[in-house]
Amino acid sequence: MDNRSDCDDRKVRTSRKILIIIYGLKMVILGQMQREQAAEDFIERNDGAALIAIAGSDAPDSSYRLGTREYDWHSHVRGLIFCVESGLAHVRTSHGSWLLPPNRAGWIPPGEPHWVHVVSALSGWSVIVTPDACRQLPDRPCIFSINELTRELVRRAMSWPMPDDLDPAKERLTRVLLDEMVRAPLEPIDLPMPSDARLARIARAVFERPDDPKTLEEWADWGAVSSRSLRRMMRIETGMSFGQWRQQARLTRALEMLAQGTPVAVISDALGYASPSNFIAMFRRAFGKPPARYFSGRAESR
């Protein structure tokens, strides 16, 4: 009888522990959902906490939704700093097109229209900042490196509750986090777009058909512009020669395809290279490592 009573007591205690764990998990999930909803509301507000950090995932209810999807052109009242920890994000703005590889941070200033295509990204984070708090950050979209201190500060900020205001300790950490981002070195993974209508038409065609072997002169004829004007205006409007811009466009497409798991030989052929070895050599010169190690290397460095 005593043994049966002890067994029943153990079952009751075990059941209580399970219920407590389930309740705790529900509260954590509910708190995260409330936090993400609040962040989604605050991104269009000037008031409240100067900085709000949220985790990103491919979960259906995530306000920073990752995975593989496209966000059409839009803008926010607050500035947006975002990072993917796997996969890739392709971002377009009025200033051009750029790629966000894993463990780099993208910056979108307040009110800046942007288009985003996320590819195979399962985790990441975003930080939304009031216009007043981000005055020292660049006035144009860009990519910058992030260090371990920045990552830890973002993780700390993601654990904060969602009050309208931050206490003095959190305000100090906010200033340190923003200082780290202001001082971070910029990453040259951008593809500036020319503003001249004729050049922009040529640039879009080059980007969409990276395997097209046309020379500068042939592209100039195609775009109804003189080769001299194309050469001169491309340098003025993008800071690159036509050849440099075309190579950067190919690198952009290569990173997108790599993030989707496309084999190197297929990418090489799609970009118009004579052989995979030629493509690998170009990629290594640009990024310091072969394409097969580009994403794995970044994941290992975390």
Side-chain angles (χ1 to χ4, degrees):
M1 191 74 176
D2 291 340
N3 289 338
R4 183 180 301 172
S5 177
D6 288 344
C7 182
D8 290 342
D9 287 344
R10 284 196 296 270
K11 287 180 178 179
V12 170
R13 289 196 296 270
T14 300
S15 297
R16 285 176 178 170
K17 288 179 181 178
I18 292 172
L19 288 173
I20 290 171
I21 292 171
I22 292 173
Y23 177 77
L25 288 173
K26 284 184 175 179
M27 294 305 293
V28 169
I29 294 170
L30 179 60
Q32 180 63 24
M33 290 174 63
Q34 290 173 338
R35 178 180 180 80
E36 290 176 350
Q37 182 59 51
E40 192 171 1
D41 294 339
F42 268 104
I43 199 167
E44 304 303 341
R45 290 171 52 179
N46 280 319
D47 62 329
L51 181 148
I52 298 171
I54 57 171
S57 73
D58 194 25
D61 56 354
S62 175
S63 61
Y64 178 28
R65 187 79 188 275
L66 299 175
T68 297
R69 55 186 32 81
E70 180 179 314
Y71 294 93
D72 205 357
W73 287 92
H74 64 287
S75 63
H76 307 293
V77 170
R78 289 190 176 218
L80 176 66
I81 301 163
F82 60 103
C83 170
V84 293
E85 294 171 338
S86 63
L88 193 75
H90 181 192
V91 183
R92 293 177 184 167
T93 73
S94 60
H95 302 285
S97 175
W98 42 264
L99 290 173
L100 185 68
N103 299 301
R104 296 293 188 268
W107 163 241
I108 302 292
E112 177 71 40
H114 56 286
W115 170 97
V116 181
H117 182 208
V118 183
V119 182
S120 303
L122 301 181
S123 64
W125 49 260
S126 64
V127 174
I128 56 174
V129 190
T130 59
D132 285 342
C134 62
R135 292 188 186 280
Q136 290 184 315
L137 288 165
D139 59 0
R140 293 177 57 153
C142 62
I143 301 173
F144 52 84
S145 301
I146 53 175
N147 55 32
E148 200 56 43
L149 175 59
T150 300
R151 293 190 189 96
E152 289 303 320
L153 288 169
V154 170
R155 292 187 188 111
R156 176 75 67 87
M158 284 192 293
S159 70
W160 296 344
M162 292 288 294
D164 283 358
D165 295 298
L166 301 177
D167 61 37
K170 293 183 176 68
E171 286 180 354
R172 288 193 292 272
L173 288 177
T174 293
R175 288 195 294 271
V176 174
L177 175 56
L178 291 175
D179 284 345
E180 286 298 309
M181 291 179 173
V182 168
R183 294 163 50 191
L186 298 181
E187 293 278 337
I189 315 176
D190 65 326
L191 188 68
M193 292 295 290
S195 57
D196 179 88
R198 294 170 300 169
L199 264 67
R201 179 169 173 261
I202 294 172
R204 284 194 297 270
V206 171
F207 182 78
E208 291 166 3
R209 304 200 292 268
D211 60 334
D212 195 313
K214 286 190 185 73
T215 64
L216 180 146
E217 288 74 20
E218 289 169 333
W219 275 116
D221 287 342
W222 180 88
V225 62
S226 72
S227 58
R228 180 178 178 183
S229 294
L230 175 57
R231 184 177 291 108
R232 178 178 58 85
M233 293 174 67
M234 183 65 81
R235 174 75 71 177
I236 291 172
E237 296 208 7
T238 69
M240 301 179 183
S241 69
F242 180 82
Q244 290 169 333
W245 194 95
R246 176 155 58 182
Q247 178 166 300
Q248 193 77 342
R250 286 172 170 168
L251 286 170
T252 298
R253 297 299 297 274
L255 287 177
E256 285 183 322
M257 296 173 78
L258 282 172
Q260 293 173 312
T262 306
V264 169
V266 174
I267 298 174
S268 171
D269 185 61
L271 300 186
Y273 284 89
S275 68
S277 60
N278 288 349
F279 164 67
I280 292 170
M282 180 277 297
F283 193 96
R284 188 191 290 271
R285 284 195 300 272
F287 295 113
K289 61 181 66 178
R293 288 183 49 213
Y294 184 78
F295 287 108
S296 62
R298 290 187 185 279
E300 291 163 2
S301 67
R302 282 186 292 173

